[in-house]
Amino acid sequence: MHSSSNKTQIWSNLEEHCNEISKKSLIELFNENQKRGSDFSIPFGELWIDISKQTIDSKTIQLLSDLAEENKINQFFIDMMTGSPVNLTEKKPALHTALRAPKDSKILVEGENVMPKIAETLEKMEKFSSYLRSGKLLGSTGAPITSVVALGIGGSNLGPVMAHKALSKFAHPEITIEFCSSIDSVDLDQTLNRLNPETTIFLVTSKSFNTRETLLLMENAKKWLEESIVTSGLSKHLVGITSARDKAIKYGLEESMIFDLPDWVGGRFSLPSAAGLALMVSIGPDEFSNLLSGMNKIDNKTVSEPFESNGALLLALTDIWNRSFLDHPTMAIIPYSSQMSYFPPYLQQLMMESLGKTHQNDGHGFSSSIGSVIWGATGTESQHAFFQFLHQGSDVVPCEMLGFSNSYKNLHQEQQDSLFANLLAQSEVLAFGSDTEEVPIPEKKLEGNRPSTVILAPELTPFILGQLISLYEHRTVASGVIWGVNPFDQWGVELGKSIANDIELAMINSRPSVDNSKRNSSSEKLLEKFKNFRNS
Ligand code: F6P
């Protein structure tokens, strides 16, 4: 931990080293060491991670490994994976790794083994998915269910929708899966217009069963069912996925149609839990199990590999290096795969909700910047949108490019090759720029020296996606631990939610208890204007 009051010697050594190495360009670093490409790349599971185009050398790696050791990161992962209450502010374990651990593992929380309950939920998910996928799950009129609408927001949406899209090639061809998260009515209306209520089921995912957006969507979905054919047996069309079973029952969900989410899994880490039910329906229990195996493989490697060959740790430390020492405030994630278009928004929640914090666990403020702005979009489209800024803009944006060698079933392999050619070209140009002598006008000159990481995998399969998800989860957690913040809470989002509720209640009911005219001059004016527009 490195607040102004407790900066360690290792942190100071890194600052000093940063002053030295920032004087060198990536071209110089590559000239100094002709083997950088292999010296700064590692295999991690089925993934190949290349950080050779980051502003680092072997001393950086040594110092960063000292930093990891100083923060007892390995012990943290052991504690996390064995059920210690590592989520300090909420006094809970963060046991997402248990959800993909082998069934015969024993993981105790307050003396109770959590594995039997995990296995029970997984079995219930498998039965439900297999039933639905084989046309045996019937709606209230006796018609088989063929459409699934997943309602939920944040962690109850971003992971499942990302993985569903990423694995669309593995999806059941006759089952429609839709996701709705926005409170904007157009989203749900347009989805429902495409569907038949007789054959539609809603999966309502909310850990708290208290999230305004999700509850509103559920109420509208219920109305749609009631107004159409479903006069009785509504519960056959509604599934709840939650830690708050009682609340779900109060909202009219049938007990047997509720899947439990453990209290100790954070929303953004919940894909391998029942929150992944829509994905399991889409790709089937076997492929879902491959996803879990991929995650488990990287969990085991993260906790056992030494620093030099530990991909999650190397990436975490590269992030810390770029943010806290080289002072790059953002990082762009560029997957060269259109299936991975939801990966950047998924990572925005994972990394920014986990690391967008300034209070250290010991209560001190931070002297250096922590947590990056995560953004991005798929290559090659983004090359034609924002890459100009990445190559010549006044801010340096470290990039992370993800590539896959094989196309699905080897179809259109030439396009897959072309995607990789583009990925490689962009990371080369970012690092090395253009040769000055060949450039006739200054505007055409590319300075280069813009860092990037490349993560390469054989193919986008459930097993590989599982590895990628686990890699990013552990990298995020490791960064949080070293920065001294709790990666598992999200207190910063709570106040806005309660104020929105207050304003909404006051607008609907004109309740005197919440007087909108006493908010502040900006809100007052905006509310007045909103009402004028609404009534015009
Ligand atoms: O607004 C943030 C958040 O609390 C996320 O952490 C969470 O994933 C999301 O809301 C949805 O919460 P829930 O699953 O309880 O509806």
Side-chain angles (χ1 to χ4, degrees), residues 398-418:
C399 294
E400 186 144 306
M401 280 119 159
L402 284 86
F404 301 90
S405 294
N406 297 301
S407 63
Y408 179 66
K409 292 189 177 161
N410 293 327
L411 290 170
H412 306 298
Q413 183 60 40
E414 67 293 348
Q415 279 174 241
Q416 198 69 21
D417 296 349
S418 174

Side-chain angles (χ1 to χ4, degrees), residues 457-470:
E459 193 179 335
L460 184 50
T461 61
F463 186 54
I464 299 287
L465 184 68
Q467 295 189 29
L468 281 170
I469 292 170
S470 173

Side-chain angles (χ1 to χ4, degrees), residues 22 24-27 55 396 429-433 447-451:
S22 354
K24 292 186 187 172
S25 69
L26 282 167
I27 295 183
T55 316
V396 171
V429 175
L430 283 167
F432 309 124
E447 302 286 348
N449 207 24
R450 291 168 187 246

Side-chain angles (χ1 to χ4, degrees), residues 152-157 205-212 214 241 261 266-268 270 349 353 490 493-494 497:
I153 198 162
S156 294
N157 166 260
T205 307
S206 175
K207 188 179 164 195
S208 59
F209 230 77
N210 206 20
T211 301
R212 179 82 180 122
T214 306
I241 299 162
L261 285 179
R268 52 193 177 273
S270 67
Q349 189 202 16
E353 198 164 75
Q490 59 281 321
V493 297
E494 298 306 325
K497 287 185 200 172

